[in-house]
Amino acid sequence: MKINEEEKKTLIQTSLKARENAYTPYSHYKVGAALKTKSGKIYTGCNIENASYGLTICAERTAMFKAVSEGDRDFETIVIATRDGGSPCGACRQVMAEFSLEMQVILVNQEGGI
C-alpha cells in the first residue's frame, strides 16, 4: 500500500519529532517511528534503553505495541528516523512481519532524507 507525498511528509516529520523523545544514555543512537494504520491513525514510538540492555525497546516496536494495545492491528506504513537511515533490527522485523508483510517501510536520516 502506497501513501501520497503529503502523508509521507507528515509521517517523516512525526518520526523525527518522536526521535527527540528517545532515551539513549548508553548508545546515544536515537530512533523515532511513526506508524500509520489502515484506519488512518498514527502511532509514534522512540527507543528506550535500559542498563540491562535486553530490556531496551526499539522505536518500531514501541509504535506497533501502542497500536496493538489500542486495538489497531492493520498497519499500512511505518517511517523510521535514525541518525543515518539505519534499518530495523531482527526483533523489529519479526514483529512487523507478524502483523503485516505488506506494510511499507520508509527509512530516513536525521535530516528527513529517505
Side-chain angles (χ1 to χ4, degrees), residues 24-29 47-57:
T24 61
Y26 307 105
S27 73
H28 307 289
Y29 192 79
N47 56 326
I48 304 165
E49 294 180 348
N50 189 280
S52 175
Y53 216 69
L55 300 179
T56 294
I57 186 165

Side-chain angles (χ1 to χ4, degrees), residues 69-113:
S69 72
E70 293 186 28
D72 210 344
R73 297 182 180 162
D74 295 320
F75 303 161
E76 182 176 278
T77 303
I78 190 166
V79 174
I80 304 159
T82 66
R83 174 176 47 225
D84 53 8
S87 87
C89 72
C92 288
R93 289 171 186 248
Q94 177 60 43
V95 173
M96 285 189 253
E98 178 80 18
F99 290 99
S100 177
L101 292 173
E102 304 300 319
M103 178 172 46
Q104 182 179 21
V105 179
I106 300 171
L107 308 174
V108 300
N109 63 24
Q110 63 190 3
E111 287 84 31

Side-chain angles (χ1 to χ4, degrees), residues 3-76:
I3 57 171
N4 65 44
E5 287 303 311
E6 185 177 322
E7 290 174 313
K8 187 185 293 184
K9 286 179 186 176
T10 297
L11 288 172
I12 289 170
Q13 290 305 311
T14 303
S15 69
L16 291 167
K17 181 79 172 149
R19 185 174 178 262
E20 295 172 12
N21 294 328
Y23 176 73
T24 61
Y26 307 105
S27 73
H28 307 289
Y29 192 79
K30 295 180 177 222
V31 182
L35 171 69
K36 182 176 183 276
T37 62
K38 290 181 183 174
S39 71
K41 188 159 182 185
I42 297 173
Y43 296 89
T44 61
C46 63
N47 56 326
I48 304 165
E49 294 180 348
N50 189 280
S52 175
Y53 216 69
L55 300 179
T56 294
I57 186 165
C58 300
E60 302 93 309
R61 283 182 284 147
T62 300
M64 289 184 285
F65 293 166
K66 284 169 70 173
V68 171
S69 72
E70 293 186 28
D72 210 344
R73 297 182 180 162
D74 295 320
F75 303 161
E76 182 176 278

